[in-house]
Amino acid sequence: MPSPPPPDFASLSLAEIARLAEENRLPPVENWNPTHCGHSDMRIARDGTWFHQGSPIGRLPMVRLFSTILRREPDGRFVLVTPVEKLDIDVEDAPFTAVEMKREGEGEAMRLAFRLNTGDLVTAGPEHGLRFEEREDGPRPYLHVRRGLEALVARSVYYELAEIALANGSTPPGVWSNGSFFALEPGA
């Protein structure tokens, strides 16, 4: 049975986003420990595009399905796991991309919600932290999604975060969400 299409992010309130994220029931991949079966011939590119045997997977419902059985192993590898098989998948950066952000409130009362390229909704806070990493090609912001899986925050969304951080006048510059402060400077 195909999953329903994701809701229109722009029309949702943050309360609705939080409710939908809470209702999103995922398979218990952390409890499945099948034998390793090899490689899936799949790759997730830095921009969040999923590939199979070198070709992009064009059907979003298929990508959404695969994303629900994605797991990060203790050694850092990524695998697709079911109760009966475990297959490696290559991930160039982060397995998800935060492509859209919505904010509500100001200062310490602010809440930030993100829509991922898979349609998943995540509200930043104590359980879904934002972290910022400095790389040769510039800063890279990441959002914790679940169980060690992160979303690379799209550049346009990062600029929105930077604008909020500069406007709130905090030292170091950062943003608040659900009572947690996230400094935009790595290690701050």
Side-chain angles (χ1 to χ4, degrees):
M1 175 178 216
S3 59
D8 176 35
F9 187 72
S11 68
L12 297 173
S13 71
L14 261 63
E16 291 169 320
I17 290 170
R19 180 186 54 76
L20 287 169
E22 186 65 32
E23 289 175 358
N24 186 18
R25 302 289 177 229
L26 296 167
V29 296
E30 67 278 2
N31 297 330
W32 297 340
N33 294 301
T35 304
H36 184 264
C37 300
H39 200 281
S40 65
D41 289 326
M42 294 177 69
R43 170 178 69 92
I44 304 172
R46 183 176 187 267
D47 69 357
T49 303
W50 288 59
F51 290 85
H52 181 252
Q53 296 180 336
S55 297
I57 300 173
R59 294 181 52 214
L60 181 59
M62 187 67 74
V63 169
R64 291 181 69 201
L65 175 66
F66 283 128
S67 76
T68 66
I69 60 169
L70 183 65
R71 180 171 84 191
R72 186 140 198 199
E73 298 289 85
D75 65 6
R77 289 180 306 125
F78 293 91
V79 295
L80 297 172
V81 63
T82 71
V84 296
E85 66 182 350
K86 180 180 1 178
L87 298 165
D88 290 322
I89 180 171
D90 297 327
V91 178
E92 290 180 0
D93 192 337
F96 302 104
T97 306
V99 295
E100 195 173 358
M101 181 182 76
K102 194 168 201 175
R103 76 184 243 198
E104 184 178 90
E106 296 294 327
E108 293 182 33
M110 184 180 302
R111 292 188 322 165
L112 302 171
F114 298 84
R115 183 179 62 82
L116 307 185
N117 60 320
T118 55
D120 292 302
L121 305 175
V122 179
T123 301
E127 294 179 19
H128 300 283
L130 284 165
R131 70 177 182 88
F132 299 83
E133 195 173 289
E134 190 61 44
R135 300 258 182 106
E136 285 181 12
D137 59 346
R140 288 222 184 114
Y142 294 91
L143 171 67
H144 179 259
V145 176
R146 63 178 177 266
R147 304 182 205 117
L149 300 175
E150 292 183 311
L152 175 64
V153 176
R155 186 65 57 190
S156 60
V157 177
Y158 170 66
Y159 290 150
E160 289 180 64
L161 288 170
E163 185 178 315
I164 293 167
L166 293 174
N168 74 20
S170 61
T171 304
V175 296
W176 288 91
S177 186
N178 276 347
S180 295
F181 181 76
F182 304 103
L184 266 64
E185 298 174 3

